[in-house]
Amino acid sequence: MTDYAPVDLERGEQVEFDLNGRRVHAPPGTMLVDAAHANGVEIPIFCYEPRIGPPLGACRMCLVEVEGMRGLQTACSTPVSQDMVVHTKSDLAVDGQDGVLELILANHPLDCPVCDKGGECPLQDRTFRFGPGDSRFLEHKRHFPKPLDLSSLIALDRERCISCFRCVRFSQEVAEDGLLTFQERGGDSEITTFTGGAYEGRFTGNIVDICPVGALTSIPYRFVARPWDVTNTESVCGTCPVGCNVELTTREGRVQRVSGREDPNWIHEEGWLCDKCRYAFPAAWSPDRLTTPLIRDGGTTREVSIEEAVAAASVLLARENARPGIVVGPEATVEEGFLAQKIAAASGDAPIQQLGIPAATLAPIRALPPAELADLDGAPLIVEVGGDPANQQAIVELRIRKALRHGARLVMVGSRPHALTGLGEWHETAPGQIAETVGRLADDIKGTEGVIFVWDEQSLAQEPDAVPVLAELMAEVENAKQLELGAHINGAGLRALGLPADGVLEAAEAGDIGTLVCLLADPLSAPGASRWDAALGKTGPLVVIATHASELTDAANVVIPASMATEHEGTLVSMNGRAQRLRPGQEPPDGAAPGWQILVAIAHRLHTDVARSPSTILRTAVTERSALTGLSYKEMGRLGMRLRRPSPASANGAHAPREPAGEGLRLVTTRRIFGDGFAARSDALEHVRQPADVVISPAEASRLGLEDGDRARLVSEHGECVLPVRVSEAHQDGVAFAAVGVPGAGVERLLPADDGPVRVQLSRA
Amino acid sequence: MSVQDSIKGFGVTFKQFLKSPETIDYPDQKTPVWPRFRGRHRLWLHDNGLEKCVGCSLCAAACPADCIRVVAEENTAENRVSAGERYAKIYEINMLRCIFCGYCEVACPFDAITLEAEYELSEPSRIAEIYDKDMLLAPSPKPVPIRTEPSGRQ
């Protein structure tokens, strides 16, 4: 990853200056390091990290000679100006850089052979290229006991720290958790947390990436590999709908590390990742990973080869009166979704659906210009409607924080307080009142140009009456853009294929489904779980293609183990419509196969002609689905491409308010950042994972006779579950808050199949 | 051919009878090698019994034949194997691939690996040609004498 900020030498105002005797130009205000880098001259740096914010000038490595200025200047904090004369390689400048490196190395232990950073270490590289070659220091170096666990994920080796402040500044200025600091002075300086406790948060892994030495290293990656032992694969994170670019580091046939990828123009995630993305990959080896294909026939369970399992599934689909139905889960790639559609079509136009949120009512908002994450940076006003980005789309939270530092105004409408609510104008809204609140704020918002509307898919699907209000408001604001906070990983991709979010369930309930195929879908832990549970009793044989064991695989007649996002090729579409390539960093375990291979094998057995590789499957999908027009692996390249046409939307649904039936508190759901999907199965995240609970206000708690820590039974018209109670002053009355997706918690049983509004009654369990 | 020529010829033969033979009774006797001969690798221990190798994998990086595999692990108080923070849990050299260039020895920052004199490296199977850490740590099973006197040959 380069450490320099992107500089536009083509457009806009430029100033000319002399760089090592060459006449070059850069936009005014550009820092000298960035301007030099853009013009092909490298000035060594350690503390400079433009993604963090303004330069600090802590390490003094970037000393250069500027004619007319006394002494040497730090190029990271000196902006270019017209006719400036800069020497980066003059004797004076080189002497300065040598001296600084000698001082930096005075206390740096030369334990490179045992240091995980060795081989990809900026200090090593720059010492080699810019350093003096030897040291005059004979004195003892400082010693600390090492390593220290900064958290369960990050090890701190204080001896190696060069006090560049990058991690502290990241914590203070980017993640804004304010946890990290330096204590003591001079040679005794050391990184620590203010509390003395662990450094835990949603973005902690980034400090490992930005540390220019081996002071901060990743514990799951500790001593696993050296840079020359590994292969790196550019892929996309498949754990949330944001779709951050990641690099998979593979050694010994296993993905050992997920790290941020360079984002050249800071359009997407700027190379930052949340810890969910970074540490969810060990789910591939969790004890409940499926590795053996199974066939259950009557009371007997047989372990079979994957070919036999595929053959058995095909027989179940092709037999007389099979009446198949296919459910596609949110992790399925575009290719897998398309193949599933092909199989459905070959099985007599069988019903097929995804486990997502119905799109019809949301079409008016989705039709408006979509925003990239970078659009938030310069936005004067961000209007956030519903949602909980901190837990569901963490990188969006980071980007909104950046926008706020740049002076954006943040207006939030929603019922669930989240990590950003203290930072802007928070209009707490009772569920069902978004339309009214937005209407009230409309006049205030209208006056600003270039507003970015960040809206939550699930919240607005629950409150269709707010959609036209919001869409009208967006239409009235000049240059408004919308950023969807999607609920499902590849929800946008499956929507682009035209997969509806209903159909199979209704048919199953009517007894019209013979063979039910669940492709990377677990309807028993999705909204509407109770209905699915009942419907499964009326269907015939169950074929499950899944990565991990669940209640569903326990009940299945044929279980075919599938690959995870780190193990197959495919295309994922992010929540704001960017199609990106997944590339495998490791092979699926023996006994499992990539989902597309399983589907191709089934299709061939059904005598359906489908392409035999992900790229050709995508090519067919593009010709047959207009929303994918222009998409190809080549076009997607490294950073993906935006889908050019909107997804097919059926007629705009009715935008009448939805009032849930029954009595009790309104239930508002979110996800837990480390609590769902692969993150829930990763042993690396074990210590930061929060258990499931239901949150209510103190007033509701006393009304219901519940106390913090009690166990409450939640009953809705759809089902029930039992959760521990947490009482929070920050949460409003009349609402119960709970997280979906946490394995075993069963909150999904309370919800309707379309993830719509619901009321729950709480009682002591 | 005259009688004189025959006498001359047999004279050479008789002269050789008096010299000790150049042939060596291999395998009972082994050809001595020069001190800088590069043969089978050996991993070394410190005097206190700890392994010198810290599993840094620099030898693998230097190896032009890509025949070294190192998988490191952290030393713990209960299981201290090397003197550093980490040690080589797996250290393997594929002797079929090795070209005996000695770059691993040059790369090693702890003098943990050296190329020794042993040259009898044939094994009954390909898999047996992958020497593991225990084999490499053990003293040479088929020692070879080191040559000290200057060679008579050119």
Side-chain angles (χ1 to χ4, degrees), chain A residues 647-700:
Chain A
S647 300
S650 45
N652 290 354
H655 288 117
R658 293 174 72 180
E659 186 53 37
E663 293 286 305
L665 306 178
R666 280 290 294 264
L667 181 70
V668 170
T669 59
T670 182
R671 287 172 184 275
R672 280 280 157 74
I673 181 165
F674 305 130
D676 72 335
F678 296 137
R681 294 184 167 90
S682 161
D683 53 4
L685 292 169
E686 202 178 312
H687 299 282
V688 288
R689 203 174 292 139
Q690 293 167 304
D693 57 15
V694 55
V695 183
I696 48 174
S697 68
E700 294 296 346

Side-chain angles (χ1 to χ4, degrees), chain A residues 162-196:
Chain A
I162 59 167
S163 306
C164 74
F165 283 84
R166 272 187 178 187
C167 53
V168 173
R169 287 168 65 215
F170 175 83
S171 157
Q172 310 272 357
E173 296 171 33
V174 180
E176 296 182 354
D177 51 37
L179 277 172
L180 285 183
T181 184
F182 262 93
Q183 68 177 21
E184 303 297 338
R185 297 171 59 110
D188 295 325
S189 316
E190 54 176 291
I191 304 164
T192 181
T193 54
F194 271 110
T195 55

Side-chain angles (χ1 to χ4, degrees), chain B residues 25-95:
Chain B
D25 193 10
Y26 184 82
D28 296 331
Q29 209 184 351
K30 287 180 185 171
T31 318
V33 295
W34 292 104
R36 287 173 64 184
F37 181 84
R38 297 192 299 262
R40 186 189 198 269
H41 310 71
R42 168 103 193 257
L43 289 172
W44 294 94
L45 301 175
H46 285 290
D47 293 341
N48 59 8
L50 292 176
E51 288 172 15
K52 283 188 173 177
C53 175
V54 296
C56 74
S57 207
L58 275 168
C59 45
C63 181
D66 204 7
C67 69
I68 306 179
R69 171 172 174 245
V70 185
V71 177
E73 196 155 274
E74 186 161 10
N75 281 310
T76 55
E78 305 84 58
N79 180 30
R80 174 157 286 280
V81 179
S82 81
E85 270 183 278
R86 57 196 268 168
Y87 71 96
K89 184 174 66 174
I90 298 175
Y91 193 104
E92 289 175 351
I93 299 182
N94 185 339
M95 288 297 176

Side-chain angles (χ1 to χ4, degrees), chain A residues 111 113-116 146-147 157 160 222-226 228-229 251-252, chain B residues 54-58 60-61 69-74 84-86 109-110:
Chain A
D111 59 354
V114 295
C115 174
D116 266 337
K146 63 187 201 175
D157 187 315
R160 296 181 191 147
R222 189 164 165 80
F223 300 156
V224 165
R226 311 309 304 260
W228 51 84
D229 292 329
R251 188 184 184 203
E252 305 268 310
Chain B
V54 296
C56 74
S57 207
L58 275 168
R69 171 172 174 245
V70 185
V71 177
E73 196 155 274
E74 186 161 10
E85 270 183 278
R86 57 196 268 168
F110 295 99

Side-chain angles (χ1 to χ4, degrees), chain A residues 438-452:
Chain A
V438 171
R440 188 154 44 78
L441 295 167
D443 285 337
D444 184 15
I445 294 166
K446 259 181 233 173
T448 320
E449 198 184 317
V451 181
I452 308 282

Side-chain angles (χ1 to χ4, degrees), chain A residues 94-378:
Chain A
V94 167
D95 206 31
Q97 291 169 6
D98 275 2
V100 169
L101 254 178
E102 200 177 355
L103 283 166
I104 285 176
L105 291 172
N107 261 328
H108 190 83
L110 295 179
D111 59 354
C112 303
V114 295
C115 174
D116 266 337
K117 200 81 174 184
E120 52 185 5
C121 174
L123 181 60
Q124 262 186 346
D125 296 349
R126 285 168 196 160
T127 303
F128 196 69
R129 293 177 54 193
F130 299 95
D134 56 8
S135 172
R136 288 166 292 174
F137 280 92
L138 302 168
E139 291 77 9
H140 285 289
K141 300 193 179 212
R142 64 174 177 176
H143 285 290
F144 287 112
K146 63 187 201 175
L148 217 62
D149 286 358
L150 203 55
S151 72
S152 57
L153 296 167
I154 298 164
L156 166 64
D157 187 315
R158 290 167 291 173
E159 292 179 359
R160 296 181 191 147
C161 177
I162 59 167
S163 306
C164 74
F165 283 84
R166 272 187 178 187
C167 53
V168 173
R169 287 168 65 215
F170 175 83
S171 157
Q172 310 272 357
E173 296 171 33
V174 180
E176 296 182 354
D177 51 37
L179 277 172
L180 285 183
T181 184
F182 262 93
Q183 68 177 21
E184 303 297 338
R185 297 171 59 110
D188 295 325
S189 316
E190 54 176 291
I191 304 164
T192 181
T193 54
F194 271 110
T195 55
Y199 177 52
E200 279 171 4
R202 292 183 293 279
F203 307 103
T204 60
N206 291 308
I207 64 172
V208 174
D209 273 3
I210 57 175
C211 182
V213 296
L216 296 164
T217 51
S218 169
I219 290 179
Y221 190 62
R222 189 164 165 80
F223 300 156
V224 165
R226 311 309 304 260
W228 51 84
D229 292 329
V230 303
T231 47
N232 290 319
T233 313
E234 293 186 337
S235 188
V236 180
C237 167
T239 63
C240 88
V242 179
C244 296
N245 296 300
V246 298
E247 192 165 75
L248 308 174
T249 300
T250 309
R251 188 184 184 203
E252 305 268 310
R254 278 185 170 209
V255 171
Q256 307 279 12
R257 173 172 74 171
V258 173
S259 40
R261 181 135 63 84
E262 192 189 341
D263 177 9
N265 290 312
W266 297 356
I267 303 290
H268 311 302
E269 71 294 317
E270 296 183 291
W272 303 130
L273 297 180
C274 68
D275 286 0
K276 177 187 193 170
C277 172
R278 205 178 279 271
Y279 296 111
F281 69 90
W285 312 288
S286 78
D288 60 347
R289 180 79 200 265
L290 293 171
T291 52
T292 319
L294 298 173
I295 296 179
R296 282 196 190 87
D297 211 351
T300 61
T301 304
R302 279 189 299 135
E303 294 190 357
V304 295
S305 70
I306 196 155
E307 289 79 12
E308 280 176 84
V310 164
S314 311
V315 168
L316 289 177
L317 281 168
R319 77 198 161 119
E320 189 99 350
N321 203 18
R323 291 173 300 144
I326 304 180
V327 186
V328 182
E331 287 148 26
T333 61
V334 171
E335 289 81 351
E336 286 161 353
F338 180 71
L339 287 171
Q341 285 180 317
K342 282 281 179 197
I343 291 170
S347 316
D349 277 330
I352 178 167
Q353 77 163 89
Q354 61 159 318
L355 285 179
I357 293 174
T361 56
L362 299 170
I365 302 186
R366 288 203 174 112
L368 294 163
E372 293 287 1
L373 287 179
D375 290 325
L376 290 169
D377 289 352

